[in-house]
Amino acid sequence: MKTKQLSLADVKNHLWDGMTIMFGGFMGIGTPAKLVQAILDAGVKDLTIIGNDTAFVETGVGPLITHNRVKKVITSHIGTNPETGKKMIAGEIEVELVPQGTLAERIRAAGAGLGGVLTPTGLGTVVEEGKQKIEVNGREFLLELPLEADLAIVEAKTADKLGNLVYELAAQNFNPLVALAAKTVIVEANNVVEVGAITPDAAITPAALIDYIVYPA
């Protein structure tokens, strides 16, 4: 069996300036802190990051914002991280705000190979600017395009050595979604167990989606 184990020091080999990175997490819960630090340590910049929010200044993906590594954020809100707002107002970061449900479905659409999703959310607001409207059975919808990434970083409570994943409570949030929609997926596992220890019905993200596992220290 080919190992999927990846050291934190080798994460840099999967990073480059200007890449797009998706991340799991909700206000930092479920965001892989060690992988965020590895991205910081690698020195990459001009990143586009995609996820539910930018957490806080020192948690979640907040440090990437604080240390000026991000050029664009695609997210549902930025209110918990004042640095994101400051940099947006100063023109240092581009922020694309997407309604939370729409964001989830755009990511899911990329993972499912769909051409987009139709939603009424945002009609009559600034959200509809520049977007195609489609009428279905007399109702108008916005066409929202899929979101995909070069890399997804995921946090799991438990992974087996193949990469089947189990999440802890609310830390599940966006992690299973982003694992579907990136060319490369790296998981930071809090526990790593032997193959078979996670039963098939318990695995939330299947091993086929996972490229690399960063083991606990």
Side-chain angles (χ1 to χ4, degrees), residues 47-60:
L47 302 174
T48 295
I49 60 173
I50 303 172
N52 182 70
D53 55 80
T54 56
F56 302 92
V57 173
E58 299 297 337
T59 62

Side-chain angles (χ1 to χ4, degrees), residues 21-31 36 49-57 59-65 73-81 84 95-98 100 103 107 173-174 178:
I21 300 175
M22 279 184 183
F23 58 94
F26 188 102
M27 295 176 67
I29 303 300
T31 300
V36 171
I49 60 173
I50 303 172
N52 182 70
D53 55 80
T54 56
F56 302 92
V57 173
T59 62
V61 296
L64 297 177
I65 303 289
V73 180
I74 301 175
T75 189
S76 70
H77 73 88
I78 60 173
T80 57
N81 188 336
T84 310
V95 176
E96 179 181 341
L97 292 173
V98 182
Q100 188 178 70
L103 178 68
I107 295 170
N173 50 63
F174 272 72
V178 301

Side-chain angles (χ1 to χ4, degrees), residues 4 6 8 11 28 30-39 60 152-159 165-167 171 175 185-192 210 212-217:
K4 292 185 177 181
L6 182 72
L8 281 170
V11 170
T31 300
K34 292 177 183 176
L35 286 175
V36 171
Q37 186 61 50
I39 294 169
I153 56 172
V154 171
E155 181 184 67
K157 177 183 179 182
T158 305
L165 306 183
V166 176
Y167 305 96
N175 278 299
V185 181
I186 302 177
V187 58
E188 178 184 316
N190 296 323
N191 303 285
V192 178
I210 304 303
Y212 300 102
I213 306 166
V214 172
Y215 281 45

Side-chain angles (χ1 to χ4, degrees), residues 23 25 32 35 44 63 83 96 102 112 116 120 136 151 154-155 162 166 174 179 205 209:
F23 58 94
L35 286 175
V44 290
E83 282 300 310
E96 179 181 341
T102 302
V136 180
L151 173 68
V154 171
E155 181 184 67
L162 281 177
V166 176
F174 272 72
T205 296
L209 296 174

